[in-house]
């Protein structure tokens, strides 16, 4: 079944704490292990992928610039599906608006809020290595497991 998937950026798509400027002054980050291969598989399985991220204006500009230089991202998540919010609790309304069926985030509060408020988002994945047990939220900590879970929905 085709899913409409929302993906957070920090600590889900890219590793936090890996930001740096290269020799030309361009903002660079490192992707999470298996992230690019995973979005390729999900996209080629006819799923629709969105970035839904909470950050400030400066960070949004840096991420947009970096992703625009990473052509593989554009192949799987076109720029019109990059959504940045300024308040963490704005992710649930975005999920409703875009009919997101699967949301992947590393923040427990956001995952809980999205599941509670978005009637379309019935599969919420908490992307963390922390041991947590929250009703209705699946905890996964690697992209290969995320792909396997979504493909088998």
């Amino acid at each position: 079944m085709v899913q409409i998937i929302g993906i957070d950026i920090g600590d889900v798509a890219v590793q936090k704490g890996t930001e740096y400027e290269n020799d030309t002054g361009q903002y660079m980050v490192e992707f999470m292990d298996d992230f690019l291969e995973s979005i390729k598989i999900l996209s080629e399985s006819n799923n629709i992928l969105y970035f839904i991220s909470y950050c400030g204006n400066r960070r949004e500009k840096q991420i947009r610039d970096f992703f625009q230089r990473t052509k593989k991202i554009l192949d799987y998540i076109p720029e019109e599906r990059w959504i940045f919010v300024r308040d963490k609790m704005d992710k649930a309304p975005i999920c409703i608006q875009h009919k997101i069926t699967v949301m992947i985030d590393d923040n427990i509060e956001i995952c809980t809020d999205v599941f509670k408020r978005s009637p379309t988002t019935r599969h919420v994945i908490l992307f963390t290595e922390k041991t947590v047990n929250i009703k209705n939220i699946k905890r996964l900590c690697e992209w290969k497991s995320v792909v396997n879970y979504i493909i088998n929905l």
Side-chain angles (χ1 to χ4, degrees), residues 35-76:
F35 174 73
L36 290 173
E37 179 62 25
S38 295
I39 64 170
K40 176 180 190 265
I41 292 166
L42 291 170
S43 179
E44 290 175 352
S45 300
N46 296 318
N47 295 293
I48 300 166
L49 310 178
Y50 284 81
F51 281 125
I52 303 173
S53 185
Y54 159 74
C55 65
N57 289 326
R58 186 174 136 268
R59 180 65 50 136
E60 176 183 342
K61 182 183 179 334
Q62 291 172 330
I63 291 169
R64 284 184 182 279
D65 290 346
F66 175 69
F67 283 175
Q68 287 165 348
R69 292 190 314 271
T70 309
K71 301 302 181 197
K72 291 179 184 178
I73 291 288
L74 295 168
D75 289 342
Y76 311 122

Side-chain angles (χ1 to χ4, degrees), residues 3-99:
Q3 301 294 334
I4 304 172
I5 304 166
I7 303 168
D8 183 33
I9 295 175
D11 269 353
V12 176
V14 301
Q15 298 176 18
K16 283 185 183 173
T18 62
E19 301 91 6
Y20 63 94
E21 286 188 19
N22 66 14
D23 292 339
T24 64
Q26 293 177 320
Y27 177 80
M28 304 294 288
V29 295
E30 291 182 32
F31 289 104
M32 298 297 275
D33 291 342
D34 302 313
F35 174 73
L36 290 173
E37 179 62 25
S38 295
I39 64 170
K40 176 180 190 265
I41 292 166
L42 291 170
S43 179
E44 290 175 352
S45 300
N46 296 318
N47 295 293
I48 300 166
L49 310 178
Y50 284 81
F51 281 125
I52 303 173
S53 185
Y54 159 74
C55 65
N57 289 326
R58 186 174 136 268
R59 180 65 50 136
E60 176 183 342
K61 182 183 179 334
Q62 291 172 330
I63 291 169
R64 284 184 182 279
D65 290 346
F66 175 69
F67 283 175
Q68 287 165 348
R69 292 190 314 271
T70 309
K71 301 302 181 197
K72 291 179 184 178
I73 291 288
L74 295 168
D75 289 342
Y76 311 122
I77 309 176
E79 191 169 359
E80 61 268 16
R81 288 194 243 135
W82 301 354
I83 301 168
F84 294 88
V85 299
R86 301 297 179 248
D87 185 308
K88 291 179 184 181
M89 295 303 109
D90 285 344
K91 288 189 178 187
I94 294 297
C95 288
I96 295 166
Q97 178 183 351
H98 294 279
K99 297 177 176 48

